[in-house]
Amino acid sequence: MRSSAPRVRFFSALATAVLLTVMSGGTGLAFDPETEGYVRWEFKPPPRHKNGAASVSLNLVSSDGKPLSEASWYYKATPLASFRMVDDSAGTAIVRGSFGDGDNTLTIDSGVYLFVELMGTAVLDGKRHYAQTHGLLFGESLAVEPPEPGGGPEPDWPSFAFSGSGEIYWPQTGHTFVLSPKGDRGIGEFTAMTPTGKALGEYVDTDGGRGFVPATDKELNAMGATASKPVFFVAGIPDGGSVSYTIYVHRSRYGGEKLNLGFVVFSSTFVGTSFVLILFFRRRRVLRHVAQES
Amino acid sequence: MSLKSLRLLVQHASFVVLIYGGRFGVRLGPGVPCFACPYVNGCGGQCYLMGLQGYIGFGISAADFWGFEGARALFWFLVFVVLVALLGKLWCGFVCPFGLFQDWLTMLRRRLGFSGLKIAPETMAKLGIVKYVLLAWLVLGPIMINLGILHRDFYLPFCQMFCPAKPILPVFGGELRHFALDVTNLVTTIVTSTSLAVTGGTLAAMFARPRFFCVFCPLLAMIHFLKPVTLLALKKEPALCHGCGTCRRVCFMDVEKVWLEKAESDVQCVDCVNCGECVDSCSASGALRLTFAGKPLAKSSRARSLGLKKHRGAA
């Protein structure tokens, strides 16, 4: 009589493999940013300048508050001719550096309009993690020299290509943010996080890759158009670390606009005022008629 | 060419430049002393009132004022002053795109055969106070936002709540979005419903009365504050005036000062938009003059008034 144990072992192993594959999004990487620490950029209030220069201050931190080691960074700075147009006359600059012990704060100043793509890396719990973000600086000052073009080749770190369905300088709830892994580095599927847990929203598949649409946030809606909240897109990488991408989303600028309701308010006051004016004209005509009769 | 014809020509050319100019590379900046609405996609210039409330004026915090931001605010204020000093209220009568829009409504009403609404001088004086209230609101509103007294969604408090040009002029750029009620929160709902109610009511009143909104325009008040440095002026020679009252009858702003003034030569008052209708219509030669730095640009004459009457008769 043949034992059924090998068959059971084979199917249980297959089921486990399928389950792991499903859990890791098909890449074989299971990274849960809710339970595992990752490294991310957090924006700090920037210093204000009286000379027209613009600044951005960022902290490279771990999500679980544990200390980081061997932290370094580089950024790619592209001068802009306007809000959207790259200044072709000025070349892209790569600026790099590393953090000392303790404070992992980086401040970038600019006297020109500058698009900055920033990468950071650090070791957390013995594993190397990467963090990414971007920002726009609208500096208008001669006091800060524009970045020197060049700076060598861009380091080949695991990273995402980022795109949004709206204006890149004003990410909003309701926009679709697409992050596709650059190169073939085995980056897993991302999970959208907030400082306190998973971000509310919807994952969508787009032509450009996996996307995320942050849900409407009542607190943001109440705070004013300039208020924003961070969203961190986090994915695992093959050696057990992670790569994250930080954006700050504002409330939806047009999401609350109701055109039909607006037309109702507009039309009703238009009709109401017209009615009052017609009554006024009629009364005046009657009075004039009475005056002529008498 | 009568001033009326010249005015129509300049008004339409200015409308094209200020509403569509940005599409052809025209960038006049935020110092334009008329309702060149920045909410229009591809506009060629920006109304100074918007900048004054926002990034080049009272929207700047006190801490930032003593530096680059303050210098920029001062620069655009000087641009505004120079533009007003050069053209004065011609900005209102000859250039303002919203003024032209109101003139179109008046033309339409006349074509349809409806009679217009005249405002009595005492009512006009009372209504005129509103423009100073709106001016105070657009100055104090941004300061209150900076101090945290007002919610940030009141940003640009005059444009967002009381300016009827904000929903109307973007329509010429192909955008209806500013007619939407923004229900994002209570403040945006209050702000946008006020704006739409004001726009609806003003549109009906602008149809009934020529240049109705100009009675309440805070920019008109600001330009009038700069009267001492303005080179353009409306002058009267009281000795030559017949006292016929034609100037009073043709004035769509219902200004009485030009007619009633018997001693002073300066008849430029706050509600006058320098349209030149009175100069065109006056039959007393030399009684009314539109002057630039004391030199006459146009003056009333019997021939001019007759030519105008002939022209009107032919029409």
Side-chain angles (χ1 to χ4, degrees):
Chain A
M1 191 177 155
R2 288 175 65 186
S3 167
S4 63
R7 199 186 294 171
V8 170
R9 273 202 298 276
F10 169 75
F11 281 113
S12 67
L14 184 68
T16 310
V18 168
L19 192 64
L20 277 174
T21 307
V22 168
M23 280 174 66
S24 64
T27 63
L29 298 171
F31 186 87
D32 183 3
E34 270 196 303
T35 54
E36 296 177 71
Y38 61 94
V39 172
R40 66 193 184 201
W41 286 111
E42 286 183 1
F43 284 65
K44 293 170 65 180
R48 301 189 74 88
H49 303 284
K50 292 200 179 295
N51 58 16
S55 285
V56 62
S57 267
L58 302 108
N59 247 2
L60 190 67
V61 296
S62 66
S63 60
D64 52 12
K66 288 182 182 169
L68 300 176
S69 61
E70 298 174 42
S72 60
W73 53 266
Y74 81 88
Y75 65 83
K76 189 162 88 173
T78 310
L80 303 174
S82 69
F83 279 113
R84 299 174 184 84
M85 287 161 60
V86 170
D87 184 358
D88 292 325
S89 64
T92 299
I94 302 285
V95 184
R96 62 194 84 211
S98 55
F99 294 113
D101 289 335
D103 186 24
N104 292 341
T105 301
L106 172 67
T107 300
I108 305 169
D109 301 321
S110 179
V112 294
Y113 286 13
L114 204 64
F115 179 58
V116 177
E117 294 164 274
L118 176 64
M119 283 291 299
T121 181
V123 172
L124 171 68
D125 289 335
K127 288 170 185 165
R128 185 154 286 281
H129 295 259
Y130 298 87
Q132 195 179 355
T133 190
H134 70 260
L136 280 140
L137 292 169
F138 298 116
E140 291 179 67
S141 174
L142 297 173
V144 181
E145 289 288 318
E148 196 71 34
E154 194 178 341
D156 184 25
W157 294 354
S159 60
F160 286 110
F162 175 87
S163 65
S165 60
E167 294 285 7
I168 196 163
Y169 62 87
W170 203 259
Q172 298 164 38
T173 56
H175 281 179
T176 306
F177 299 105
V178 178
L179 290 98
S180 52
K182 279 186 190 170
D184 188 17
R185 305 293 297 262
I187 299 174
E189 285 195 336
F190 68 79
T191 306
M193 302 293 293
T194 66
T196 51
K198 281 190 176 164
L200 293 176
E202 190 188 348
Y203 293 91
V204 289
D205 285 321
T206 70
D207 293 341
R210 184 171 155 90
F212 180 73
V213 185
T216 303
D217 186 321
K218 280 187 180 173
E219 207 177 275
L220 260 185
N221 282 356
M223 283 163 75
T226 52
S228 62
K229 280 185 174 182
V231 174
F232 312 105
F233 300 99
V234 190
I237 53 175
D239 59 7
S242 69
V243 56
S244 72
Y245 201 113
T246 301
I247 61 166
Y248 276 67
V249 286
H250 300 81
R251 75 178 188 208
S252 174
R253 183 172 272 189
Y254 308 130
E257 292 186 349
K258 308 288 176 209
L259 196 57
N260 290 343
L261 271 179
F263 275 126
V264 169
V265 176
F266 166 75
S267 322
S268 40
T269 48
F270 178 77
V271 171
T273 312
S274 303
F275 185 69
V276 170
L277 285 168
I278 289 166
L279 282 182
F280 177 79
F281 275 111
R282 285 199 162 187
R283 188 168 157 265
R284 196 172 69 170
R285 198 175 294 163
V286 169
L287 286 175
R288 197 179 294 160
H289 185 69
V290 170
Q292 279 169 357
E293 292 261 310
S294 61
Chain B
M1 185 187 258
S2 68
L3 275 176
K4 190 185 178 75
S5 309
L6 178 68
R7 190 165 79 90
L8 269 178
L9 198 69
V10 175
Q11 275 184 303
H12 283 86
S14 306
F15 187 90
V16 171
V17 171
L18 293 172
I19 299 295
Y20 302 108
R23 298 168 195 226
F24 313 110
V26 178
R27 295 274 190 277
L28 298 177
V32 181
C34 68
F35 276 38
C37 184
Y39 286 100
V40 179
N41 270 335
C43 62
Q46 297 171 22
C47 169
Y48 181 65
L49 290 185
M50 188 197 197
L52 184 66
Q53 294 164 85
Y55 58 100
I56 56 162
F58 300 100
I60 306 172
S61 67
D64 287 339
F65 194 81
W66 304 106
F68 173 78
E69 301 290 347
R72 186 165 63 172
L74 186 65
F75 170 77
W76 284 112
F77 175 69
L78 290 176
V79 169
F80 172 75
V81 170
V82 169
L83 292 175
V84 172
L86 286 174
L87 295 182
K89 296 262 186 75
L90 283 189
W91 287 103
C92 309
F94 279 66
V95 183
C96 182
F98 198 58
L100 177 63
F101 174 76
Q102 294 180 76
D103 292 346
W104 283 340
L105 290 178
T106 305
M107 288 176 208
L108 177 68
R109 176 175 54 76
R110 285 179 182 156
R111 277 282 164 93
L112 294 174
F114 292 112
S115 60
L117 177 72
K118 280 271 177 190
I119 301 180
E122 53 274 18
T123 315
M124 186 82 175
K126 282 178 195 159
L127 290 176
I129 295 167
V130 176
K131 66 168 83 71
Y132 299 103
V133 175
L134 290 177
L135 189 58
W137 171 242
L138 75 81
V139 169
L140 296 175
I143 294 172
M144 288 196 280
I145 292 169
N146 270 331
L147 294 174
I149 300 167
L150 268 184
H151 192 277
R152 295 210 76 83
D153 282 331
F154 281 102
Y155 182 65
L156 304 176
F158 170 72
C159 301
Q160 301 277 15
M161 290 185 86
F162 298 113
C163 184
K166 187 216 163 196
I168 290 171
L169 287 183
V171 174
F172 294 97
E175 206 174 13
L176 283 173
R177 198 177 68 75
H178 299 283
F179 280 96
L181 189 73
D182 188 351
V183 296
T184 300
N185 61 41
L186 182 63
V187 177
T188 60
T189 309
I190 291 170
V191 166
T192 48
S193 54
T194 308
S195 165
L196 293 167
V198 167
T199 305
T202 312
L203 189 66
M206 287 189 303
F207 185 77
R209 197 264 185 191
R211 293 278 184 133
F212 177 78
F213 180 71
C214 296
V215 178
F216 310 104
C217 178
L219 197 52
L220 194 72
M222 275 187 74
I223 294 175
H224 194 72
F225 283 144
L226 295 170
K227 187 180 160 187
V229 296
T230 305
L231 298 172
L232 197 110
L234 180 65
K235 301 277 184 190
K236 179 181 177 179
E237 195 59 63
L240 299 174
C241 175
H242 301 155
C244 64
T246 304
C247 53
R248 166 72 179 89
R249 281 193 294 278
V250 296
C251 180
F252 52 70
M253 289 300 290
D254 297 323
V255 169
E256 286 208 310
K257 185 178 170 68
V258 181
W259 174 46
L260 295 176
E261 186 58 60
K262 301 293 181 204
E264 298 282 322
S265 67
D266 178 15
V267 284
Q268 185 76 58
C269 62
V270 65
D271 289 315
C272 172
V273 294
N274 281 159
C275 65
E277 292 264 354
C278 53
V279 180
D280 256 351
S281 312
C282 177
S283 59
S285 294
L288 288 175
R289 282 170 295 139
L290 209 50
T291 65
F292 182 81
K295 300 208 164 47
L297 290 177
K299 61 180 177 181
S300 61
S301 70
R302 187 169 171 72
R304 181 189 282 273
S305 70
L306 286 174
L308 193 72
K309 276 172 192 162
K310 192 177 162 188
H311 176 75
R312 277 182 180 161

